[in-house]
Each structure stands twice: as structure tokens, then as C-alpha cells.
Amino acid sequence: MVTQYKNLIGGELVDNGKWIDVVNPANEQVIGQVPDCGQAELDKAVAAARAAFPKWKKTSVEERRACFAKMADAIKANSDELMRLLTSEQGKPHMQAGSEIAGCVGMTRALPTLNLEEKISEDSDKRLSRTRRVPVGVVGGIVPWNFPVLMAVQKIVPALLSGCTMVLKPSPFTPLATLRMAELIADVFPAGVLNIITGGDALGPLLTSHPDIDKITFTGSTATGKRVMESASKDLKRITLELGGNDAAIVLPDADVAKVAEKLFWASFYNAGQVCIAAKRIYIHEDIYDELSAAIAAYGAAVKVGDGAEQGTAIGPIQNKQQYNRVLELIADAKEKGYKFLIGGDHDPSIPGYFVPVTVLDNPPEDARIVAEEQFGPVMPLMKFSSVDEVISRANASDYGLAGSIWTSNPEAAVEVAEQLETGTVWINESMHLAPNAPFAGHKQSGFGAELGEEGLLEFTYPQVITIAREAA
Ligand code: NAD
């Protein structure tokens, strides 16, 4: 029998006797089961979070920080087990799964060092006026399947640090490592402060419409984000949305081809391209297009795609069948339209697992589906440009505005280009770096609000202004 993982509700590890199968995307075998919860279990979790809130919001920041220190220690002490579990459910190679778990430890240690200090807006003869931050209440957290544990941690830590309590819902595709983490930290917080429950497609909408949840923090696709916003509008729940992206990477003519080829490859193919901030549209200046595209194709052809648990694998499978079919559909469309492939494009349907070969396209048109849509797979369209103004307008011609990157041997000069990109994050000569003390905030349809940094923490609070007149009543 496969291992059955429990939910964390009101400090207890529980199940309801109904189960969802979780599949390893590298071989399509069932590797675990998690509870299939509905309204009844959600009500219990929300009631537990509500009951825990009055006491938790009065704890000092030092008390909360002590809990996070224990949480980080528990994750670190069990890193190897969590890493293996994450590879088996998500597909990513061990090395990348290890980085995700190490990122969880790092975030759990670093985010609690953020401060929400009171601000004095007036200190005069007439009055003393100060603004403090108070927690919004019970938070519902919804997490996607690409970085399931890190995304969970990035919601749990700031929510609880601000004094909120939480009900977190992992993706039904990747709940195992998160539930194992829940088991490891079940005693770290007072009962009910953190609840983690799993369920199928119906559970997300139940959570976003629950009348006793005050705020939703959601990471996932833009399409689902819009549904979350609509649902939250009924009782004006506060929302933070971290959504999809179609990030442009711009390679200026002075870039060092040999150095950039490998970095750019991983900016696109890390986690099999299933990264919201992956480079999904690569614009290369015409002067170096042929040389760089050949270098990227040569590098990509030597990279091993396979089971993330096998040594030497650098790119794992697509995480689930639905997304696998979507990526295959985009590739089929590109073939049908006659676009040129430098490498990849053909998959072997007889092999079990959701494997897509490393696929690089040669200068498809801007309106190709594989360019205009978020691929979220191991696919990299390379496009030629001839002037900086032209490439800035092509990069900005998207409803998304998550991140972007610029590659050059003159980084200072590239700042002027960076400032013209309509995205929340721009990297020069690197990619995917997010820091606990800097806000990560999608512009346009890539998000609403911010995660990380002080801005991210503020999203779990209301401002409250208290004014004392100097003259006694
Ligand atoms: P998704 O939107 O399908 O699902 C995300 C979560 O929402 C899952 O837990 C799912 O069960 C739940 N859900 C589904 N329907 C819901 C509904 N109607 N109401 C409430 N919850 C619902 O996204 P995904 O396929 O899991 O993840 C991939 C997407 O996430 C990509 O678009 C990617 O760019 C985006 N993403 C964004 C970030 C970011 O920080 N901006 C990070 C990771 C992934």
C-alpha cells in the first residue's frame, strides 16, 4: 500500500477516509495518497484558525520568531527526505529539489527578520498620531505545483509573522512534501495557527468564497487568479495574487556569446521551464543571433532529460498530464505552421512519464502561440531583433509583466533599458534571483500586490491610525 499523508487541522494530523492519488510524473506510478477534503473539513480548519487568532495576534514578534527558528531547524534536519519526496512528486532533479528545500530553510530564517515598525505621522502641540499594522485575520493560502514547498513557505512565514493565522491548500498534484513538512512542524505553532488541507478541484473555490476567511494569498495561473479575485470580491476579502508570466530575455549585441549561452539556457529550462519567472521569449540582437543560437542549441543537445531521481538528469518531466498535453499542443502548432526547430520538437509517446525533449525554435513570428502564450515547459523560442527601441516595444507587448532579463557586457548602460521594461523585476546578466527583503510583484496581469520584502509582509496587515489629542477632554 502507498503511504497516506495526513492533513494538519487544529494541531491534529487527520484524514477523512477519502483519498486522492498522487502520481510520480517520471513513471506515472501512484506514490502516495492525501485526504480529499470538502466543505466540512474546510469549515473545521477555518474554525481552528479563527479560534487561534485572538491569542496568536497578541504574541510578541520574538515569540513568533522563536517558532520560525524551530520550523527552519525541522526542515533542515529532514532536508534529504523532503528533497527525495519533492523529486518523486514534482519531477525536478534531486539537485533542484535540494535547492528548493534549502530555499525553504533560508526563507524561514530570513523573512522573520523583517520589521513592521510603527510610524509617527504627527507629534505636535495638538496631537500624537501613529500608524500601526494589525493582522487581517484568517488567511487562505493557495499554492501551485511547480515549487510547491517553497511557495507554501513563502506564504506561511509572512502570514504568521504578521500575526495572522492560516489555512493553506497545496496543489492536488504536489501535496506530499508539504504535508510531510506539516507533520514535522505540527507542534511548532500553537494549535490552529497553521492548518494545511488537501482536496481536488472543488476545494480552491470553497476556500476563496469562505465567509470566515479574511484574505487570500494565491500563486498560480492568471486565469485562476481572475476567478480568485471575482470570488473574493463578494465580501471584499483582501487578496495577493502571484500569477503567470511571459518573461522576455534581451541579449544586446555586446554580450559575450560563450558566457551567455549556458546562463540563458538555464534561465529558460530550469525546472523543465515550469517557472513563472523563466525566460520564455528570447530576443537576440541580429549581429550575434547565428552564433548564440548555435551555441544554445549545442549546449541543449547535450543536456540529459529523464527521471529526476537518476544521477545525471538535468531536466525532469513535465509535472502533470494536463500541462504535458498543453506543451505538446504548442509544439504541434509550431510544427503545423512550419516554424523551424533548432533542436527537439519530437517526443516518444511509448515511454512512460511526461517527458518533453529540450526544444529550441529558430525565429518564430511574434504572434506564434509558442511565443505569445506562457509555455511553462522545456521550450525556448529565439527571436532576432535589430534595435533596442524595437525590442523594448516587443518585450512590453504582453498582458503579462512579471520579470525580464538583459544580457550584456556593459551592465551599467543596460539599466536604461531595464527601466523601460514593464515588469516587476528585471535582472541584468542573471535570472530568477529573488530575495527575502525585496518585493516580488507582477505588473499588469502577472499579479496583484506583492510577495516578499516589507511590501509582502504589509499585505497581511491593515493600517490602524491612533491619534491622541494633546488637550484632555
Ligand atoms: P493553477 O492556477 O492551475 O493552480 C494553482 C492553485 O489554485 C492550485 O492549488 C489549484 O488547485 C488551485 N485552484 C484551481 N482552480 C481554483 C479556483 N477556481 N479557485 C481557487 N483555487 C483554484 O496554476 P498551476 O497550474 O498550479 O501553476 C502554474 C501557473 O502558476 C503558471 O501560470 C505560473 O506562471 C504560475 N506561477 C506563478 C508564480 C508567481 O509567483 N508569480 C509562481 C509559480 C507559478
Side-chain angles (χ1 to χ4, degrees), residues 141-147 151 154-155 169-174 199-208 216 218-225 227-228 231 241-246 274-277 280 319-320 322-323 374 376 400 402 434 440-442 446-447 451:
I142 301 179
V143 176
W145 46 257
N146 58 344
F147 287 85
M151 298 291 114
Q154 283 182 192
K155 297 193 183 311
K169 187 197 87 62
S171 165
F173 294 119
T174 51
D201 290 347
L203 187 59
L206 292 177
L207 195 95
T208 59
I216 299 290
F218 170 86
T219 300
S221 63
T222 295
T224 311
R227 281 183 219 120
V228 171
S231 174
L241 306 175
E242 291 296 347
L243 308 177
N246 196 1
Q274 303 163 113
V275 189
C276 54
I277 47 174
K280 293 171 184 142
Q319 198 283 320
N320 59 75
Q322 196 180 308
Q323 181 61 22
E374 181 183 34
F376 226 60
Y400 291 114
L402 197 57
L434 298 179
F440 176 53
S446 283
E451 208 162 59

